[in-house]
């Protein structure tokens, strides 16, 4: 990524900021685009780097994660390599200090000719994940890779699910560099939106601060 402006020495910067921010008992959500590898077997170096960092990591799929496989295969891959700090947000939710962490990749909606079938599938996955979050009794907090809205438009299929469940907090990625100017950060209807792309955060994990939590997430 260091061929892109603003990403110089990003691995070292991310490592330093992570070590200064995240404790072993914390949970970190990584909202996709985790490796350029095309096959799962080729991600080992990238995940070895993340494994060595403190905290439990919950992973979402990004649009560049072409290595992504079934959850069963990915868990087996991590297990055989001794990677024990990863799990996946995929049609499910994780209760952490009163917060029910859930979500899905979402879908790119700027192109009118986009894949409608895939968009509806992602909306269905979001519905399933939020439903799982609600069953935990915790406060649902949604993570997406793609933004549900930008300053120009919104994704009706994803936004309808968020509205129907009265979701108060959404974190998303995907927008980098100059495209981050299109991001909606702050209140959107009854929902608080936060962009968490690595370069937007200057490679420092963003701490979630809620009254429901007793330790870091």
């Amino acid at each position: 990524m260091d061929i892109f402006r603003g990403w110089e020495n990003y691995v070292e910067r991310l490592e330093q900021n992570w070590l200064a921010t995240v404790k072993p008992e914390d949970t970190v959500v990584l909202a996709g685009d985790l490796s350029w590898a095309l096959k799962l077997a080729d991600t080992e170096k990238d995940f070895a780097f993340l494994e060595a960092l403190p905290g439990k990591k919950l992973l979402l799929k990004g649009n560049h994660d072409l290595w992504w496989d079934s959850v069963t295969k990915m868990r087996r891959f991590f297990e055989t390599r001794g990677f024990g700090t990863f799990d996946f947000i995929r049609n499910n939710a994780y209760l952490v200090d009163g917060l029910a962490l859930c979500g899905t990749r979402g879908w790119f909606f700027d192109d009118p000719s986009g894949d409608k079938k895939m968009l509806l599938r992602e909306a269905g996955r979001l519905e399933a994940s939020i439903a799982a979050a609600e069953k935990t009794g915790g406060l649902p907090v949604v993570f997406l890779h793609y933004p549900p809205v930008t300053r120009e438009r919104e994704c009706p299929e994803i936004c309808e699910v968020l509205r129907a469940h009265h979701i108060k907090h959404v974190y998303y990625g995907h927008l980098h560099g100059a495209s981050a100017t299109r991001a909606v950060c702050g209140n959107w209807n009854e929902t608080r939106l936060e962009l968490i792309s690595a370069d937007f955060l200057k490679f420092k994990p963003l701490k979630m601060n809620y009254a429901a939590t007793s330790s870091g997430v």
Side-chain angles (χ1 to χ4, degrees), residues 37-189:
L38 300 179
K39 297 180 180 179
L40 182 59
D42 297 329
T43 65
E44 185 167 356
K45 182 178 179 181
D46 294 326
F47 283 112
F49 167 74
L50 291 171
E51 172 71 17
L53 297 174
K56 178 179 179 62
K57 299 96 182 180
L58 301 179
L59 312 181
L60 274 77
K61 182 180 182 180
N63 59 299
H64 292 297
D65 290 321
L66 302 181
W67 52 270
W68 191 277
D69 211 322
S70 70
V71 170
T72 299
K73 290 182 179 179
M74 291 188 292
R75 283 177 175 158
R76 187 182 306 124
F77 172 82
F78 289 151
E79 182 179 356
T80 59
R81 285 151 179 82
F83 297 164
T85 65
F86 300 107
D87 217 329
F88 304 90
I89 297 179
R90 185 79 165 173
N91 300 325
N92 59 356
Y94 292 86
L95 185 63
V96 181
D97 292 340
L99 301 181
L101 310 180
C102 58
T104 189
R105 175 181 56 181
W107 195 246
F108 185 69
F109 58 89
D110 282 355
D111 182 1
S113 63
D115 190 334
K116 184 74 170 182
K117 182 178 180 180
M118 182 61 72
L119 173 55
L120 293 176
R121 185 180 300 169
E122 285 298 306
R125 286 172 176 157
L126 178 59
E127 179 77 41
S129 189
I130 294 176
E134 292 171 338
K135 289 180 180 178
T136 70
L139 174 68
V141 177
V142 170
F143 291 84
L144 299 166
H145 177 70
Y146 286 104
V149 301
T150 64
R151 293 189 180 276
E152 297 85 16
R153 57 182 302 184
E154 64 179 51
C155 182
E157 293 80 359
I158 296 295
C159 290
E160 178 56 34
V161 177
L162 298 175
R163 292 190 188 99
H165 290 270
H166 305 287
I167 297 300
K168 302 297 185 184
H169 308 281
V170 175
Y171 296 83
Y172 65 93
H174 186 67
L175 300 178
H176 302 282
S179 67
T181 60
R182 301 169 52 216
V184 177
C185 297
N187 294 328
W188 169 75
N189 296 327

